[in-house]
Amino acid sequence: VDPNKPENLAYYSGKSGTHRDDGIFLAQGEPIRPGHEVHGAKIIDLAPTLLHLLGVPVPEDMDGTVLEDILTDEFTREFAVQTTASRSMAAVAHGSDGEYTGEDEKAIEERLRSLGYVD
């Protein structure tokens, strides 16, 4: 939407691109409460909700919350939300205690440089 055209100003939110504050969330399947309307969900709630639906514990420091109100009572009774202490991605990938090695730091720096984040 070109904000420089007067006919488009009704659609212009002042944000770049076509970003909008509100989105659409749809869910279907056996554990989903049919016909339930979701209020107040945020995009950051999707990851913990999906982890929970997959039976994976949600990291304690993960942003967002499980959208339990979309789930049937039977599902929430049978499958309570489980959390786990967080570990760094390096620890998960390498099976270590979470400390970055010099090699890890070098790889991260190279990756950030290739993406343009580091000069």
Side-chain angles (χ1 to χ4, degrees), residues 13 34 39 60 84 108 113 115:
S13 66
H39 296 280
E60 291 173 345
T84 184
I108 292 168
R113 184 172 283 109
L115 293 170

Side-chain angles (χ1 to χ4, degrees), residues 88-101:
S88 73
M89 292 309 290
V92 172
H94 301 297
S96 70
D97 62 2
E99 295 296 318
Y100 288 113
T101 65

Side-chain angles (χ1 to χ4, degrees), residues 8-77:
N8 291 336
L9 289 179
Y11 305 104
Y12 183 62
S13 66
K15 297 178 180 169
S16 66
T18 58
H19 302 288
R20 300 290 182 261
D21 290 331
D22 297 318
I24 297 172
F25 174 77
L26 301 171
Q28 179 181 345
E30 194 170 314
I32 306 299
R33 186 179 301 204
H36 181 72
E37 206 170 297
V38 180
H39 296 280
K42 298 178 179 77
I43 196 165
I44 60 174
D45 297 331
L46 295 180
T49 301
L50 292 172
L51 288 174
H52 176 58
L53 287 168
L54 292 170
V56 177
V58 178
E60 291 173 345
D61 67 345
M62 178 173 264
D63 290 336
T65 59
V66 174
L67 297 172
E68 290 185 83
D69 60 324
I70 69 167
L71 305 173
T72 63
D73 293 337
E74 296 80 20
F75 186 85
T76 55
R77 271 195 303 274

